[in-house]
Amino acid sequence: MSSPPPQLYFPQKVDKFKFGLFTIMVDALINEDHANLKAKVVDDSTFTWRYKKLTAIIDQAAVNVLSRGKPKHKFEATISSPRICKLVSCIRHVGGAISTSRGSFRLFSYGLQRAYETHQHEYDSMEPCSAASLTEYLVAVRRGLHHNLYAARKAEIIERACHYDRGQMMGLLAGGLSKRLLDGSSAFVPLPTALSVPGQPGSVKTDPVAMVKITRQYFVDLYKQTPSPDKPKPWLTTQFVLEVKKRVAQEPFEWPVAAVRATSGSCGSITQLAEGNPKLY
């Protein structure tokens, strides 16, 4: 399935005149085929023909006046590493060496000449020789380099994927968002239709109310705070703390203190609170 065409450029303020040009061009295109467009619509086929014709006219006028944007090309990152770059360079040099072995007299780089001389020396020193000619031997070498290149790219992709997943998990453990771990179709997780009861092997609940209780209890147990351990507190048995404990037991501290009319001073204080602050004249 082909992708839809790029969107039309919407005119800016300085290009508002293009709307008038668009209207003029649509009228001109309709007048060119006025005889066919004037026919009455009597059935579905004639309606479909007129609809497609007018759509083509509008689309043609819009493209001529407004123009379309450039199609977007998806950028694919090139997988590369020092080993991959070295293998690619070796493949190019061996390819040039194959051209040289076939009688090409083009000027080549120093690396290509060195690769040709190295492989020629290897071919001459082979006993018994597995290749019928130097060209056949170089082709086999290039085939092996392509296999190594494929394996190197595969290993690099796996290494990058593991590094990315490790970084995502470390970010989550450091307090980041767990939503980044889900992307695409896995970003939406549907509700379960059945849940097993914790502590009861083989027991499965499908009732919505029971599933809500099981889910709630699961998260309560998961995030339950660990009780503090009962550690000895030797400072509570010191002589000073024991004296304070005895004194508080004999004379407990009561708060708030009840307001009573025991003395004239207390009565004056209660009257002052009831009447507010005294005015100064």
Side-chain angles (χ1 to χ4, degrees):
M1 183 178 179
S2 60
S3 59
Q7 295 182 351
L8 296 169
Y9 282 121
F10 189 82
Q12 300 180 358
K13 291 184 178 180
V14 296
D15 297 331
K16 292 296 184 181
F17 65 93
K18 290 186 177 181
F19 288 112
L21 297 177
F22 171 75
T23 304
I24 295 173
M25 182 167 290
V26 170
D27 294 339
L29 293 175
I30 291 176
N31 291 331
E32 290 179 1
D33 203 2
H34 180 69
N36 294 328
L37 293 173
K38 192 177 180 181
K40 294 183 179 181
V41 176
V42 294
D43 52 9
D44 293 341
S45 60
T46 55
F47 172 79
T48 303
W49 180 86
R50 178 175 292 187
Y51 181 84
K52 291 183 178 180
K53 185 65 176 178
L54 291 175
T55 302
I57 289 174
I58 294 174
D59 185 71
Q60 181 181 354
V63 172
N64 294 338
V65 176
L66 304 178
S67 70
R68 295 187 183 276
K70 296 181 179 179
K72 296 182 179 180
H73 299 283
K74 185 178 180 181
F75 175 76
E76 297 181 359
T78 304
I79 303 299
S80 181
S81 67
R83 174 172 170 76
I84 293 176
C85 293
K86 184 177 180 180
L87 288 173
V88 171
S89 178
C90 291
I91 290 173
R92 292 176 179 175
H93 292 164
V94 172
I98 293 174
S99 299
T100 304
S101 64
R102 290 175 178 174
S104 177
F105 297 98
R106 292 181 300 173
L107 296 178
F108 298 106
S109 63
Y110 171 76
L112 189 150
Q113 296 177 1
R114 184 175 179 182
Y116 177 79
E117 295 174 356
T118 302
H119 291 296
Q120 186 180 17
H121 177 71
E122 293 177 355
Y123 174 76
D124 294 338
S125 60
M126 291 177 61
E127 293 182 2
C129 185
S130 59
S133 62
L134 177 61
T135 303
E136 183 177 348
Y137 172 74
L138 292 174
V139 170
V141 171
R142 185 173 62 178
R143 186 182 301 110
L145 290 174
H146 276 290
H147 291 168
N148 296 337
L149 178 62
Y150 176 82
R153 286 177 175 172
K154 181 180 178 180
E156 182 67 19
I157 292 173
I158 295 175
E159 177 65 24
R160 291 189 182 187
C162 294
H163 180 74
Y164 176 79
D165 294 340
R166 194 182 304 112
Q168 292 288 330
M169 188 58 63
M170 293 302 296
L172 176 62
L173 296 177
L177 297 176
S178 60
K179 185 178 180 181
R180 297 175 181 174
L181 299 178
L182 303 176
D183 55 351
S185 59
S186 60
F188 174 75
V189 180
L191 296 176
T193 57
L195 290 175
S196 59
V197 182
Q200 300 180 12
S203 179
V204 179
K205 297 292 184 180
T206 58
D207 181 42
V209 178
M211 292 173 61
V212 170
K213 292 182 180 179
I214 294 173
T215 304
R216 182 178 181 277
Q217 188 61 36
Y218 169 78
F219 283 103
V220 168
D221 297 339
L222 181 63
Y223 295 104
K224 181 173 60 177
Q225 185 177 4
T226 305
S228 301
D230 188 10
K231 296 182 178 181
K233 302 176 182 179
W235 58 88
L236 295 180
T237 58
T238 59
Q239 184 65 27
F240 178 76
V241 174
L242 294 176
E243 291 178 359
V244 173
K245 182 179 179 180
K246 183 178 179 181
R247 184 171 65 251
V248 172
Q250 295 175 354
E251 300 177 1
F253 179 75
E254 296 181 0
W255 184 263
V257 180
V260 295
R261 298 177 180 271
T263 59
S264 59
S266 62
C267 292
S269 299
I270 294 174
T271 304
Q272 182 179 3
L273 290 175
E275 297 179 352
N277 295 330
K279 296 182 180 179
L280 301 177
Y281 296 98

